[in-house]
Amino acid sequence: SYNYKFYGGYKRTTMSDAQLNLHSFFITPVFSFNLEGYSSLKDDILEFRKEDQIGVKGRSTNGGWHSKDNLHNHPNFSDLRSEIFNFADEAFLHLGVQKMYMPEITGMWGIINPPGSSNRLHNHPYNFLSGVFYLQVPEDSGQIIFHDPKPQAEVLSPPKVENHSIHVAHRVNFKPKNGTLLFFPSYLNHEVEENNSQDDRIIVSFNINFKRR
């Protein structure tokens, strides 16, 4: 005879009481933290734009402004740099990095996305981790979208039920707020939706590699 079990709201018929076990191999680690006390840095970034209105071109920004990538050497960003270093060191522990290796910030830059701007799909090659710190995130100013790093995953993908698990999704939208700090693998393709608010979205981005202590 058949046994009936209920899975996620629908009835499933099985031949036995054996349970299906899910093993998550090759996960894509994304870390998030909440930081407070750094809102004044957005004024620094706005001042940098006044001094260099053209900014750096040829990056992922589509209609936005991109600073030079040396903010980690600016004295006003020294406290944030230390916070990022400490959280990255903690992330290294979760990622199984040997203790003889420590994080090294290889670049840090500010981005101002005014209404109507966005960031094209991209990744950060030749780095280990990348990150974003959100200084000003108006409502409806655009989420960051992460893409499945397995290139063949969408070749044959069945229609998914509504609100399916992010563990089987090909796109994951992450909605940040002021003070959100994200770390993710630098190989992970990502983009940022169009800013549909009436104000600027202001962030600090950075790359991290590893070096011997």
Side-chain angles (χ1 to χ4, degrees):
S1 63
Y2 290 87
N3 295 318
Y4 297 99
K5 295 183 179 180
F6 288 88
Y7 293 82
Y10 66 93
K11 185 164 64 176
R12 183 186 182 102
T13 304
T14 62
M15 291 290 292
S16 69
D17 288 325
Q19 183 176 349
L20 177 68
N21 296 307
L22 175 62
H23 304 277
S24 295
F25 297 149
F26 310 116
I27 66 168
T28 305
V30 176
F31 303 91
S32 68
F33 311 89
N34 293 315
L35 291 181
E36 297 181 356
Y38 292 95
S39 60
S40 63
L41 292 181
K42 68 182 179 182
D43 296 326
D44 291 301
I45 294 176
L46 289 169
E47 187 63 31
F48 296 154
R49 185 175 62 174
K50 287 182 181 179
E51 299 170 356
D52 179 17
Q53 295 185 14
I54 295 177
V56 176
K57 298 297 183 181
R59 303 294 177 91
S60 69
T61 51
N62 182 20
W65 179 85
H66 189 301
S67 81
K68 294 181 175 62
D69 61 359
N70 59 356
L71 296 190
H72 56 297
N73 296 324
H74 194 284
N76 289 8
F77 287 76
S78 60
D79 288 343
L80 177 62
R81 180 185 62 207
S82 297
E83 294 265 29
I84 290 173
F85 178 88
N86 290 334
F87 281 120
D89 207 31
E90 183 179 344
F92 274 26
L93 291 176
H94 290 284
L95 296 172
V97 179
Q98 293 182 13
K99 291 184 178 180
M100 69 178 66
Y101 292 95
M102 62 186 292
E104 177 184 29
I105 297 177
T106 59
M108 180 187 289
W109 58 96
I111 293 179
I112 300 175
N113 276 32
S117 63
S118 60
N119 288 80
R120 294 181 291 271
L121 184 67
H122 66 288
N123 56 41
H124 299 234
Y126 307 111
N127 289 283
F128 181 56
L129 291 177
S130 296
V132 190
F133 179 51
Y134 293 86
L135 292 169
Q136 179 171 291
V137 192
E139 186 66 28
D140 204 23
S141 62
Q143 301 180 61
I144 185 170
I145 304 174
F146 294 107
H147 289 241
D148 192 338
K150 302 181 291 296
Q152 298 299 313
E154 294 184 71
V155 172
L156 186 60
S157 182
K160 302 288 180 61
V161 298
E162 188 176 356
N163 297 323
H164 57 273
S165 168
I166 63 171
H167 299 293
V168 295
H170 298 303
R171 305 280 188 277
V172 176
N173 289 37
F174 186 92
K175 184 178 181 180
K177 61 182 182 180
N178 293 345
T180 295
L181 175 65
L182 282 182
F183 287 90
F184 51 88
S186 297
Y187 62 75
L188 187 59
N189 281 328
H190 56 285
E191 59 183 319
V192 181
E193 296 175 317
E194 182 176 335
N195 181 356
N196 290 318
S197 75
Q198 302 300 312
D199 204 351
D200 293 335
R201 180 177 63 242
I202 303 176
I203 66 166
V204 174
S205 288
F206 52 88
N207 286 323
I208 291 173
N209 223 324
F210 49 86
K211 67 176 183 179
R212 293 183 70 96
R213 296 184 187 274

